Amino acid sequence: MSGRPEALFPLFGAVETLDGIGPKTAQILEKAGVTKPRDILMTLPHNAIDRSKRQSVADVTPPVTVTVVVTVEAHYPPRAKGRPYRVAVRDAATQFQLVFFHARGDYLKKQLPEGGRRVVSGKVESFDGVFQMVHPDYMLLEEKIDTIPTFEPVYPLHAGITQKAMWKATRSALAMAPELAEWADPTLLARQGWPAWREALAQLHAPEDAGGLSLTHPARQRLAYDELLAHQMTLALARRKARRRAGRASQGTGRLTQAVIKALPYAPTGAQTRAFAEIAADLADEFRMNRLLQGDVGAGKTLVALVALLTVVEAGGQGVMMAPTEILARQHYDGLAPLAAEAGVRIELLTGRDKGRERAEKLAALAAGDIHILVGTHAVFQDDVHFADLRLAIIDEQHRFGVAQRMALGAKGQAVDVLVMTATPIPRSLALAQYGDMDVTVLDEKPPGRTPVKTALVSKGRMEEVVSHLQKAIADGRQAYWVCPLVEESEVVEMTAAEERFKRLRAALGEGVVGLVHGQMPPAEKDAAMARFVAGETKVLVATTVIEVGVNVPNASIMVIEHAENFGLAQLHQLRGRVGRGSDASTCLLMYEAPLSETEQRRLEILRETEDGFKIAEEDLSMRGAGDMIGTAQSGLPRFRIADIERQPDLMRIAQTDARAFLEKDPDLASPRGQAMRLLLWLMEQDKAIQLIGVG
């Protein structure tokens, strides 16, 4: 696709080409990511000031902004240094004062001659019963009243930029915005009553009332949709290209996978069996696989991953599984190794810890094809890591890996198939934003033998009751976790709280019954304390959130979470997932400190109502927002300027359907609407998409 269309040149020029923006302002704007007229257009007002004309300041209750016509009566220069300059004026009903600090008298006399009529607009306040307007925003000749916007937009500002500069800049950016051919589906526009792109911008930068600022305003929905459509178009193009990219057909024989499934103590769930089939079909196909495997706590993703890896080993290839941290990589390795042994397959772990000869030996075995499955951290991206025949890459916890890293991994082997796994149930709108280029498999059943967990809310005042409940349970041979309060800022405070709780429970329940783990312990001590609990030597494990991920103790059937109101929904859901792994009925007690805020109450009630991780994630999204939910810095989430995926999830869905359907009809974007679609991609800076369309 040659270059940026000429119609868009002005919008992609320097931001200084706009009125009101000099080199200094341009520098400040650049820090906020605003470098060209297009970015100014995409910065929408978030508030507005009503500047409609009033008869008199007497008609309002200060403090409030008023626009009024006045006659200048008298000037009162300051009597002493540092005092304000005052000008007495009269409107249709009353006298009031205009107040100026550090003002030049000659300038004010020229602007506001005694006896002259002027229109002034600014904030009116009352001091000792006298109305004052300090530094009016506007002082104009009466006939220029039309140049004051009736409903003036207020822009999100960065230090050192005035509203006036933003107002001027947005007006001149609007003047540069061309009329563009329509890329949206005409039936959608008609159904939603949306204006054309340029008209939508004009409406939003000059709102007529408060409705013009709301998310539901047709013009705002239109622009949000454009942003999401460009994003989904990019993902759809990437998906199409990946699907067309020649892969390697890896046809499994079933020899190894059957051996492992036979050795399992239980039969796979229906969801797992479905996942095996979908993945096997993708692997056997000559196109590349690009699939997301989403599963809730304990839905059995490890088995699905292993079956996929063994399938490519059966076909004569190698597989790699990657995790974001060394702990998780080791955990995967520990989980996979015994099963791989059943199949007689060689599996190894490669992390940053491997050095010198040991590392060299692993790399040689990998290059020779002697290692069938490699588990590691992103250390497997390094240039000296060569595979004999890499067919499948499995990435765990994808939101730590961006799309670019996915591609780098794909380059490691000849047409590598990619499977991404996530244990965090992701709401649909977020999944579309992050993984719209992938096919999705959801594990929505729990393996047999997992019992539902009964969740109850208890106030901290009932601590004694909870402890006696624990005594009974321990006497019945059961085990429990006791999670201590989360302290945001300080692990030391967390540790002290945990040690305190440990001493109290030990006093109540007896020596040798209670164990302790927290983040400040040396790893060996932590592992030893965990091992004693796993072996059933200790009955209660007092812990900070270090147990959130990956501990499997089927006999533990009670989870007490202290100060549950301080935890996030997803975290509480993950913690609760540590119990209910055996055949005993399990309970989770959410202990809270009364009174609860409305949000805290809602959070805890959601957990009581449902164990469905996806439902919980949807609620979490609407309560917290996308960036918080997955940690914006490493989320790989696109940053939208106008669209709000928490509050406009439906638009994301429509955009995905439209993008995929349009590409089916016009894969080369050659039709008139396809050409308009290219304009949209350039406008929204979807450079990746433009490369994907290739030369057109």
Side-chain angles (χ1 to χ4, degrees), residues 71-76 86-90 95-98:
T71 304
V72 181
E73 294 195 328
H75 281 247
Y76 300 103
R86 298 173 186 275
V87 181
V89 295
R90 177 174 292 281
Q95 191 194 49
F96 65 101
Q97 292 183 339
L98 306 180

mmCIF file of all heavy atoms in Angstrom, residues 71-76 86-90 95-98:
data_model
loop_
_atom_site.group_PDB
_atom_site.id
_atom_site.type_symbol
_atom_site.label_atom_id
_atom_site.label_comp_id
_atom_site.label_asym_id
_atom_site.label_seq_id
_atom_site.Cartn_x
_atom_site.Cartn_y
_atom_site.Cartn_z
ATOM 1 N N THR A 71 -21.992 48.018 31.549
ATOM 2 C CA THR A 71 -21.482 49.364 31.269
ATOM 3 C C THR A 71 -20.370 49.619 32.285
ATOM 4 O O THR A 71 -20.555 49.363 33.488
ATOM 5 C CB THR A 71 -22.597 50.419 31.440
ATOM 6 O OG1 THR A 71 -23.682 50.054 30.596
ATOM 7 C CG2 THR A 71 -22.098 51.814 31.068
ATOM 8 N N VAL A 72 -19.218 50.101 31.808
ATOM 9 C CA VAL A 72 -18.085 50.356 32.708
ATOM 10 C C VAL A 72 -18.339 51.668 33.447
ATOM 11 O O VAL A 72 -18.563 52.707 32.829
ATOM 12 C CB VAL A 72 -16.762 50.432 31.902
ATOM 13 C CG1 VAL A 72 -15.581 50.685 32.847
ATOM 14 C CG2 VAL A 72 -16.549 49.146 31.119
ATOM 15 N N GLU A 73 -18.295 51.623 34.821
ATOM 16 C CA GLU A 73 -18.600 52.836 35.594
ATOM 17 C C GLU A 73 -17.342 53.548 36.102
ATOM 18 O O GLU A 73 -17.228 54.755 35.961
ATOM 19 C CB GLU A 73 -19.535 52.491 36.756
ATOM 20 C CG GLU A 73 -20.909 52.034 36.249
ATOM 21 C CD GLU A 73 -21.980 52.015 37.330
ATOM 22 O OE1 GLU A 73 -21.630 51.761 38.495
ATOM 23 O OE2 GLU A 73 -23.155 52.263 36.992
ATOM 24 N N ALA A 74 -16.413 52.800 36.738
ATOM 25 C CA ALA A 74 -15.234 53.493 37.291
ATOM 26 C C ALA A 74 -14.074 52.539 37.487
ATOM 27 O O ALA A 74 -14.274 51.342 37.701
ATOM 28 C CB ALA A 74 -15.595 54.130 38.629
ATOM 29 N N HIS A 75 -12.847 53.084 37.416
ATOM 30 C CA HIS A 75 -11.632 52.299 37.654
ATOM 31 C C HIS A 75 -11.081 52.631 39.043
ATOM 32 O O HIS A 75 -11.038 53.803 39.428
ATOM 33 C CB HIS A 75 -10.566 52.641 36.601
ATOM 34 C CG HIS A 75 -10.801 51.957 35.290
ATOM 35 N ND1 HIS A 75 -9.964 50.999 34.802
ATOM 36 C CD2 HIS A 75 -11.791 52.094 34.354
ATOM 37 C CE1 HIS A 75 -10.423 50.570 33.624
ATOM 38 N NE2 HIS A 75 -11.529 51.226 33.339
ATOM 39 N N TYR A 76 -10.620 51.610 39.789
ATOM 40 C CA TYR A 76 -10.000 51.823 41.101
ATOM 41 C C TYR A 76 -8.634 51.146 41.130
ATOM 42 O O TYR A 76 -8.524 49.982 41.508
ATOM 43 C CB TYR A 76 -10.892 51.253 42.224
ATOM 44 C CG TYR A 76 -12.262 51.897 42.272
ATOM 45 C CD1 TYR A 76 -13.371 51.224 41.760
ATOM 46 C CD2 TYR A 76 -12.430 53.173 42.824
ATOM 47 C CE1 TYR A 76 -14.624 51.815 41.785
ATOM 48 C CE2 TYR A 76 -13.688 53.771 42.850
ATOM 49 C CZ TYR A 76 -14.786 53.086 42.330
ATOM 50 O OH TYR A 76 -16.021 53.677 42.353
ATOM 51 N N ARG A 86 -9.366 47.169 40.606
ATOM 52 C CA ARG A 86 -10.800 46.879 40.509
ATOM 53 C C ARG A 86 -11.470 47.799 39.501
ATOM 54 O O ARG A 86 -11.099 48.967 39.380
ATOM 55 C CB ARG A 86 -11.494 47.051 41.865
ATOM 56 C CG ARG A 86 -10.976 46.097 42.922
ATOM 57 C CD ARG A 86 -11.543 46.395 44.298
ATOM 58 N NE ARG A 86 -10.910 45.544 45.297
ATOM 59 C CZ ARG A 86 -11.309 44.307 45.590
ATOM 60 N NH1 ARG A 86 -12.358 43.795 44.960
ATOM 61 N NH2 ARG A 86 -10.680 43.593 46.500
ATOM 62 N N VAL A 87 -12.464 47.261 38.791
ATOM 63 C CA VAL A 87 -13.258 48.070 37.850
ATOM 64 C C VAL A 87 -14.727 47.857 38.209
ATOM 65 O O VAL A 87 -15.203 46.709 38.235
ATOM 66 C CB VAL A 87 -13.001 47.636 36.387
ATOM 67 C CG1 VAL A 87 -13.825 48.502 35.425
ATOM 68 C CG2 VAL A 87 -11.519 47.731 36.037
ATOM 69 N N ALA A 88 -15.426 48.946 38.504
ATOM 70 C CA ALA A 88 -16.856 48.827 38.832
ATOM 71 C C ALA A 88 -17.651 48.825 37.524
ATOM 72 O O ALA A 88 -17.434 49.665 36.649
ATOM 73 C CB ALA A 88 -17.290 49.988 39.711
ATOM 74 N N VAL A 89 -18.566 47.848 37.396
ATOM 75 C CA VAL A 89 -19.404 47.763 36.185
ATOM 76 C C VAL A 89 -20.864 47.559 36.614
ATOM 77 O O VAL A 89 -21.134 47.136 37.743
ATOM 78 C CB VAL A 89 -18.971 46.579 35.273
ATOM 79 C CG1 VAL A 89 -17.573 46.787 34.731
ATOM 80 C CG2 VAL A 89 -19.062 45.248 35.991
ATOM 81 N N ARG A 90 -21.786 47.844 35.704
ATOM 82 C CA ARG A 90 -23.206 47.645 36.023
ATOM 83 C C ARG A 90 -23.872 46.863 34.894
ATOM 84 O O ARG A 90 -23.675 47.179 33.727
ATOM 85 C CB ARG A 90 -23.896 49.003 36.202
ATOM 86 C CG ARG A 90 -25.409 48.912 36.466
ATOM 87 C CD ARG A 90 -26.026 50.263 36.779
ATOM 88 N NE ARG A 90 -25.587 50.801 38.057
ATOM 89 C CZ ARG A 90 -26.076 50.408 39.247
ATOM 90 N NH1 ARG A 90 -27.021 49.480 39.294
ATOM 91 N NH2 ARG A 90 -25.615 50.944 40.359
ATOM 92 N N GLN A 95 -24.869 46.452 40.302
ATOM 93 C CA GLN A 95 -23.460 46.794 40.108
ATOM 94 C C GLN A 95 -22.591 45.656 40.665
ATOM 95 O O GLN A 95 -22.964 45.007 41.639
ATOM 96 C CB GLN A 95 -23.118 48.082 40.849
ATOM 97 C CG GLN A 95 -21.734 48.608 40.461
ATOM 98 C CD GLN A 95 -21.207 49.667 41.405
ATOM 99 O OE1 GLN A 95 -21.224 49.484 42.616
ATOM 100 N NE2 GLN A 95 -20.732 50.779 40.848
ATOM 101 N N PHE A 96 -21.458 45.369 40.021
ATOM 102 C CA PHE A 96 -20.498 44.414 40.591
ATOM 103 C C PHE A 96 -19.095 44.816 40.152
ATOM 104 O O PHE A 96 -18.918 45.824 39.463
ATOM 105 C CB PHE A 96 -20.848 42.959 40.214
ATOM 106 C CG PHE A 96 -20.759 42.603 38.758
ATOM 107 C CD1 PHE A 96 -19.652 41.902 38.262
ATOM 108 C CD2 PHE A 96 -21.789 42.931 37.863
ATOM 109 C CE1 PHE A 96 -19.568 41.544 36.929
ATOM 110 C CE2 PHE A 96 -21.710 42.573 36.522
ATOM 111 C CZ PHE A 96 -20.597 41.877 36.058
ATOM 112 N N GLN A 97 -18.078 44.053 40.588
ATOM 113 C CA GLN A 97 -16.701 44.451 40.308
ATOM 114 C C GLN A 97 -15.956 43.420 39.470
ATOM 115 O O GLN A 97 -16.134 42.210 39.662
ATOM 116 C CB GLN A 97 -15.935 44.610 41.630
ATOM 117 C CG GLN A 97 -16.414 45.775 42.462
ATOM 118 C CD GLN A 97 -15.565 45.919 43.723
ATOM 119 O OE1 GLN A 97 -14.919 44.983 44.165
ATOM 120 N NE2 GLN A 97 -15.576 47.124 44.286
ATOM 121 N N LEU A 98 -15.123 43.925 38.563
ATOM 122 C CA LEU A 98 -14.159 43.060 37.872
ATOM 123 C C LEU A 98 -12.842 43.250 38.622
ATOM 124 O O LEU A 98 -12.456 44.386 38.919
ATOM 125 C CB LEU A 98 -13.985 43.473 36.405
ATOM 126 C CG LEU A 98 -15.268 43.558 35.565
ATOM 127 C CD1 LEU A 98 -14.919 43.971 34.131
ATOM 128 C CD2 LEU A 98 -16.021 42.249 35.562
#
